[in-house]
Amino acid sequence: MDILDYFTFEPVGARIDELETPVPIIDIDIVDRNLKRFQERCDKLGIANWPHIKTHKLVPLARYQVALGAKGITVQKLGEAEAMADGGIEDMLLTFNILGASKLKRLAALVRRVNMTVVADNPVVIHGLGEAGRDAGKDIGVLVECDTGARRNGAQTPAEAAALAKEIADTPGVVYKGLMTYPAPGTRLSTEAFLTEARDLIAKAGQETEIVSVGGSPDMWKDEGLDLATQYRAGTYVYFDRALIKAGACTFDDCALSVLTTIVSVPTPDRALIDAGSKALTMDLLGLEGYGVVHAMGDAPIYGLNEEHGYLDISKVDPKPAVGDLVRVTPNHVCPVSNLYDRVVFHRGDTVLGAVKVDARGAVQ
Amino acid sequence: MDILDYFTFEPVGARIDELETPVPIIDIDIVDRNLKRFQERCDKLGIANWPHIKTHKLVPLARYQVALGAKGITVQKLGEAEAMADGGIEDMLLTFNILGASKLKRLAALVRRVNMTVVADNPVVIHGLGEAGRDAGKDIGVLVECDTGARRNGAQTPAEAAALAKEIADTPGVVYKGLMTYPAPGTRLSTEAFLTEARDLIAKAGQETEIVSVGGSPDMWKDEGLDLATQYRAGTYVYFDRALIKAGACTFDDCALSVLTTIVSVPTPDRALIDAGSKALTMDLLGLEGYGVVHAMGDAPIYGLNEEHGYLDISKVDPKPAVGDLVRVTPNHVCPVSNLYDRVVFHRGDTVLGAVKVDARGAVQ
């Protein structure tokens, strides 16, 4: 099995220095290594790998992940699920409350053609999902989303989770399948305690918790608190990024995606301007200093962004870059970056393999 | 002349409560008023209006701006210029250094079919533009970009600007047309002093400065320091946003674009989750607290964003919202928001007019 077999590239030039900028360039060998390494880990742990495609949004990579052993993929929005279903993916977990007549109709259509599991954290959502299941003529498997410390949404207590499991059991068109959480980084043990209590309460009511779904790239290599988990959802590990270097989940050498940019001006010895701004790198900081770094210049930081300009601190860079030089920026948070581009480019060393459409770009609905 | 004449809408439902979320919804009457008001001001001042289309990226609005009296439009990247040329716009100022063989070829193609003026702040760019002009068989008008206080790119001193004007004069394929700056908000007077000195130095060398191009929405209503300016570039004023309310350039009633979202969970009395995260609202803060506000809830802030989740502070909201409620978020910085979406929706009151493609979305190259 070769990762290249999954791609049909559009030609965009043979060498990296022939590419127009700004453009995300992705080292296919690093991607391959990242995907295989985590699949092997899941296999070893006996946990089903359900990679989140929110980061790459690419059908070819989703299919390759499944070929490597993923039991299915995770998506956040219906539009992502539709793009992946169109690309031949057959098993998906959608980890977002679905609401509204129009979306429930789209969900029913998906349920009829692929294997969909969804989540819910409140009765309104459960009742809507029930309607969609009845519309589809097929019960929809539902996981109860739990807030185990991230303070986002989800059942706030194990008792609340158990009540929702019962609500699902009482609602025609849906079937209770288990528990799901996005554990805040560093909270695996308390998360497991929450989920164990919820599972036990649910068992007392005579319901079986078949799936316990956890996830997150920051803690992906940590072993603690995984005894209960049956599936793991990680997304960012496909490319990694500066935030995950800081979190200790990877090193720079694991970062597969950089944004290739051009130095368009060097107005002072301290400052260079690149042609990548917030529309090319996003304003995501994730607690970091700067909006990305140029690793080849000693991690010179992008200290400011306008929409199309990036401000590169070259005060410590020697020799100084020249107008026209290409520089690669390692982004802080890679997921929203790949979502900005209609196309991304894959390469192997200095050889450009070609561009591919970002299938689920902008699929926020 | 009716703004509606410029649009061909795609059907997406009749009423706002039928729309899928998250989606940017744009009040066409506010847009109309914003555009007319600033055009009238430019007419009164005798300054040519060259609206920047980076905010809306829509051919219909660019054409309407020209119909209202704009002398041309401003674009930041070649991809924007190409989208606008495809849509019938004939006069454009591109305010970004263009570099690289492939981009210069695209510029030459544009120069052959529409009236393009470009900028440069260094000799490398000037020489490339000269090549493009010779390739196009048509001299390209160039403005010298000046850094008059924004500390971005541009000539650092009037003397440097004059040297660049001479470099342009000495380069076949380009012709010196004038000076351009993005003045940092609040620096109009020092900007004018810089530009006056540059113009005088350039005049001494026997070159005429035909165009003096300034811009910016934050200072758009200020009269000081505009005597030298011959053209004004403003972009954000088409929709306005929270940052421009803070800057005093508009009020909430002038904000034409909001992001329609759905409350998907109310896990606690203090917190509601909406289906718009950083992929729907961006992480742009622009010095503000929160990632947008819900005006109809007393400016309740979005205090956090994940990629697809927004955290709405409902601690002071009474009555509390319910799961399924629609809420409209006023974004901090509207320009990168409209760049996230393939389509935006226009409405008049509660009546949906329809969706249009964001023609130059993602055109960062």
Side-chain angles (χ1 to χ4, degrees):
Chain A
M1 178 180 352
D2 186 331
I3 189 169
L4 283 179
D5 296 344
Y6 290 79
F7 283 88
T8 306
F9 291 115
E10 300 167 25
V12 282
R15 292 192 326 272
I16 283 177
D17 61 11
E18 291 172 9
L19 295 172
E20 290 201 40
T21 62
V23 65
I25 57 171
I26 300 164
D27 186 315
I28 203 160
D29 294 320
I30 299 179
V31 168
D32 197 20
R33 193 177 69 213
N34 291 345
L35 296 184
K36 282 177 174 160
R37 194 189 290 164
F38 190 62
Q39 183 62 51
E40 280 161 22
R41 171 165 163 77
C42 287
D43 292 345
K44 217 169 182 174
L45 288 167
I47 294 178
N49 186 19
W50 282 73
H52 206 311
I53 60 80
K54 63 165 186 154
T55 307
H56 60 69
K57 290 175 173 268
L58 297 174
V59 165
L61 282 182
R63 291 184 66 118
Y64 184 59
Q65 285 172 310
V66 170
L68 285 177
K71 299 300 180 196
I73 62 164
T74 305
V75 298
Q76 202 75 332
K77 294 288 178 88
L78 278 173
E80 292 175 334
E82 288 162 343
M84 294 297 136
D86 290 347
I89 299 292
E90 289 175 356
D91 296 278
M92 285 186 255
L93 168 63
L94 190 156
T95 50
F96 202 87
N97 285 336
I98 299 296
L99 282 161
S102 174
K103 283 199 172 134
L104 290 169
K105 212 171 150 184
R106 289 167 62 198
L107 176 61
L110 275 168
V111 164
R112 278 191 289 265
R113 64 173 173 145
V114 294
N115 302 314
M116 293 293 301
T117 305
V118 296
V119 302
D121 76 348
N122 67 70
V124 177
V125 170
I126 290 168
H127 300 156
L129 295 174
E131 277 174 48
R134 299 194 297 277
D135 176 9
K138 192 168 148 191
D139 281 355
I140 303 177
V142 181
L143 309 184
V144 172
E145 181 166 358
C146 300
D147 180 356
T148 60
R151 295 186 189 172
R152 194 161 71 179
N153 55 319
Q156 296 295 297
T157 60
E160 199 187 317
L164 290 167
K166 171 135 199 334
E167 188 73 34
I168 294 166
D170 292 345
T171 304
V174 283
V175 55
Y176 171 73
K177 297 295 272 185
L179 302 168
M180 170 263 171
T181 183
Y182 182 84
T187 64
R188 274 267 190 75
L189 292 176
S190 55
T191 287
E192 192 170 49
F194 182 115
L195 296 175
T196 302
E197 195 180 334
R199 182 204 56 181
D200 292 347
L201 283 172
I202 291 164
K204 264 187 208 159
Q207 289 179 273
E208 192 203 348
T209 296
E210 187 186 319
I211 296 167
V212 176
S213 179
V214 300
S217 292
D219 287 347
M220 63 191 285
W221 308 113
K222 291 186 192 157
D223 290 332
E224 62 181 22
L226 280 180
D227 290 344
L228 202 68
T230 67
Q231 59 175 233
Y232 203 96
R233 313 177 318 273
T236 319
Y237 82 103
V238 59
Y239 297 151
F240 284 119
D241 56 22
R242 215 180 144 215
L244 285 173
I245 296 175
K246 192 187 173 197
C250 66
T251 67
F252 171 78
D253 293 336
D254 302 315
C255 292
L257 184 150
S258 57
V259 178
L260 185 73
T261 72
T262 301
I263 304 264
V264 295
S265 185
V266 187
T268 74
D270 286 350
R271 186 201 323 156
L273 277 297
I274 58 173
D275 59 356
S278 63
K279 286 173 177 167
L281 291 169
T282 81
M283 295 295 278
D284 283 43
L285 284 169
L286 290 186
L288 296 157
E289 285 274 321
Y291 301 95
V293 293
V294 179
H295 185 73
M297 292 179 170
D299 283 346
I302 312 296
Y303 67 91
L305 292 179
N306 296 146
E307 286 163 54
E308 301 286 3
H309 296 79
Y311 297 66
L312 176 63
D313 179 354
I314 55 167
S315 57
K316 291 172 191 147
V317 177
D318 183 36
K320 301 293 179 195
V323 170
D325 285 358
L326 294 175
V327 294
R328 301 186 194 186
V329 177
T330 303
N332 290 345
H333 186 195
V334 74
C335 313
V337 171
S338 65
N339 184 56
L340 290 171
Y341 296 87
D342 290 331
R343 278 168 176 73
V344 291
V345 169
F346 280 81
H347 67 99
R348 173 166 274 165
D350 282 335
T351 304
V352 170
L353 299 170
V356 289
K357 184 169 174 279
V358 183
D359 301 288
R361 195 219 76 71
V364 289
Q365 291 187 344
Chain B
M1 179 182 348
D2 186 331
I3 190 169
L4 283 179
D5 296 343
Y6 290 79
F7 284 89
T8 306
F9 291 115
E10 300 167 25
V12 282
R15 292 192 326 273
I16 283 177
D17 61 12
E18 292 171 10
L19 295 173
E20 290 201 41
T21 62
V23 65
I25 57 171
I26 301 164
D27 186 315
I28 202 159
D29 294 321
I30 299 180
V31 168
D32 198 19
R33 193 177 69 214
N34 291 345
L35 296 184
K36 282 177 174 160
R37 194 189 288 163
F38 191 62
Q39 183 61 51
E40 280 161 22
R41 171 165 163 77
C42 287
D43 292 345
K44 218 170 182 173
L45 289 167
I47 294 178
N49 185 19
W50 283 73
H52 206 311
I53 60 80
K54 62 164 187 155
T55 307
H56 60 68
K57 290 176 173 267
L58 297 173
V59 165
L61 281 182
R63 291 184 66 118
Y64 184 59
Q65 285 172 310
V66 169
L68 285 177
K71 299 300 179 197
I73 62 164
T74 304
V75 298
Q76 202 75 333
K77 293 288 178 88
L78 278 173
E80 292 175 334
E82 288 162 342
M84 294 297 136
D86 290 348
I89 299 292
E90 289 174 356
D91 296 278
M92 286 186 254
L93 168 64
L94 190 155
T95 50
F96 202 87
N97 285 337
I98 299 295
L99 282 161
S102 174
K103 283 201 171 130
L104 290 169
K105 211 171 151 185
R106 289 166 62 198
L107 176 62
L110 274 167
V111 164
R112 279 191 288 265
R113 63 173 173 146
V114 294
N115 302 314
M116 292 293 301
T117 305
V118 296
V119 302
D121 76 349
N122 66 70
V124 177
V125 170
I126 290 168
H127 300 156
L129 295 174
E131 278 174 48
R134 298 194 297 277
D135 176 10
K138 192 168 147 191
D139 281 355
I140 303 177
V142 181
L143 309 183
V144 172
E145 181 166 357
C146 300
D147 180 356
T148 61
R151 295 187 190 172
R152 195 161 70 179
N153 56 318
Q156 296 295 297
T157 60
E160 198 187 317
L164 290 167
K166 172 136 198 333
E167 188 74 33
I168 293 167
D170 292 346
T171 303
V174 283
V175 55
Y176 171 72
K177 297 295 272 184
L179 302 169
M180 171 264 170
T181 184
Y182 182 84
T187 64
R188 274 267 190 74
L189 292 176
S190 55
T191 287
E192 193 170 49
F194 182 115
L195 296 175
T196 303
E197 195 180 334
R199 182 204 55 181
D200 292 348
L201 283 172
I202 291 164
K204 263 188 210 160
Q207 290 179 272
E208 192 202 348
T209 296
E210 187 186 319
I211 296 167
V212 176
S213 179
V214 300
S217 292
D219 287 347
M220 63 191 285
W221 307 113
K222 291 186 191 155
D223 290 332
E224 62 182 22
L226 280 179
D227 290 344
L228 202 67
T230 67
Q231 58 175 235
Y232 203 96
R233 312 177 319 273
T236 320
Y237 82 104
V238 59
Y239 297 151
F240 285 119
D241 57 22
R242 216 180 143 214
L244 285 172
I245 296 175
K246 192 186 173 197
C250 67
T251 67
F252 171 78
D253 293 337
D254 301 316
C255 292
L257 184 149
S258 57
V259 178
L260 185 73
T261 72
T262 300
I263 304 264
V264 295
S265 186
V266 187
T268 74
D270 287 350
R271 185 201 325 156
L273 277 296
I274 59 173
D275 59 356
S278 63
K279 286 173 177 167
L281 290 169
T282 82
M283 295 295 278
D284 284 43
L285 284 170
L286 290 186
L288 295 158
E289 285 274 320
Y291 301 95
V293 292
V294 178
H295 185 73
M297 292 179 171
D299 282 346
I302 312 296
Y303 67 91
L305 292 179
N306 296 145
E307 286 164 55
E308 301 286 3
H309 296 80
Y311 297 66
L312 176 63
D313 179 354
I314 55 167
S315 57
K316 291 171 190 147
V317 177
D318 183 37
K320 301 293 179 195
V323 170
D325 285 358
L326 294 175
V327 294
R328 301 187 194 186
V329 177
T330 303
N332 291 345
H333 186 195
V334 75
C335 313
V337 171
S338 66
N339 184 56
L340 290 171
Y341 296 87
D342 290 330
R343 277 167 176 74
V344 291
V345 169
F346 280 81
H347 67 98
R348 173 166 274 165
D350 282 335
T351 304
V352 170
L353 299 169
V356 288
K357 184 169 174 277
V358 183
D359 300 288
R361 195 219 77 71
V364 289
Q365 291 187 345

